[in-house]
Amino acid sequence: MSKTVAVKELYVKKIRNGTVIDHISAGHALDVVKILGIGRGEGDIVSVAMNVPSKTASKKDIVKVENRELKPGEVDKIALIAPGATINIIRDYEVAEKTRVKLPDSIRGIVKCANPACVSNAGEPVEPKFMVERQDPLRLRCFYCSRIMEKPDVLKQF
Ligand code: CTP
Ligand code: ZN
């Protein structure tokens, strides 16, 4: 079979209802699974395809979660870990909504600062806030104490 034909094959079958997170940069599907806490005993049906050929990038990962539509907070988490991913909400086999995730210039409330002395960890009503210095690879700077947080630091919290 020629390579061109293989690209057209469906790697994971279509789902009836749920969420497809597509165009995840190759190798990052499991980070997405981790940050969403999916598959952790809640009975979620999750399919993961890794390193599949893609139209735009050379390879991509895909995560499909059946019978569950992601909440806005979960979409923001995906933006941290997989900038450029596409979130497709599937209803009755059709793509009902398609959103390309985008990381804003600053993020609040999702990630905690790793510096124990940071004012955002002092038990005060100060919501953690970070400036996004770089999207990929991720680099965040705490608005209060300037602590740099990178992707592994963020993943540790989920
Ligand atoms: N998909 C699915 N189940 C469905 C419908 C779609 O798993 N019932 C998946 C497709 O396999 C694809 C993603 O959802 O990975 C988006 O579907 P679609 O918009 O039809 O594909 P494309 O046009 O290739 O998407 P894009 O333009 O975002 O690349
Ligand atoms: Zn801080």
Side-chain angles (χ1 to χ4, degrees):
M1 194 188 287
S2 81
K3 203 167 176 221
T4 329
V5 174
V7 168
K8 286 181 182 154
E9 282 171 10
L10 200 58
Y11 286 85
V12 182
K13 74 172 168 45
K14 295 207 175 257
I15 62 172
R16 181 193 285 271
N17 291 303
T19 305
V20 175
I21 306 153
D22 198 358
H23 303 291
I24 302 167
S25 50
H28 292 94
L30 296 182
D31 293 341
V32 169
V33 168
K34 181 163 192 283
I35 206 162
L36 292 177
I38 48 183
R40 244 185 247 149
E42 283 176 30
D44 293 323
I45 303 170
V46 182
S47 316
V48 176
M50 296 176 80
N51 294 320
V52 305
S54 152
K55 280 179 282 183
T56 46
S58 56
K59 285 176 181 172
K60 65 172 180 177
D61 288 359
I62 307 171
V63 173
K64 301 191 182 188
V65 190
E66 291 182 49
N67 302 319
R68 180 161 148 199
E69 297 187 3
L70 298 186
K71 299 175 205 88
E74 294 180 306
V75 173
D76 294 344
K77 287 182 187 171
I78 292 173
L80 279 172
I81 286 318
T86 312
I87 299 185
N88 300 275
I89 306 294
I90 312 294
R91 296 187 191 124
D92 203 16
Y93 286 108
E94 298 290 327
V95 177
E97 283 169 36
K98 188 188 285 283
T99 325
R100 178 166 260 257
V101 302
K102 203 180 163 295
L103 198 52
D105 295 338
S106 68
I107 57 153
R108 295 159 180 269
I110 302 173
V111 175
K112 291 195 294 273
C113 182
N115 173 11
C118 180
V119 66
S120 68
N121 286 320
E124 308 281 342
V126 178
E127 195 181 40
K129 179 176 169 184
F130 293 87
M131 314 313 291
V132 177
E133 288 201 338
R134 194 176 59 207
Q135 288 212 8
D136 203 1
L138 184 68
R139 185 179 161 95
L140 307 175
R141 178 183 293 275
C142 178
F143 178 75
Y144 302 104
C145 75
S146 294
R147 167 70 69 110
I148 296 295
M149 302 274 291
E150 295 188 335
K151 192 163 171 173
D153 308 309
V154 171
L155 280 172
K156 251 186 250 167
Q157 299 183 3
F158 295 96

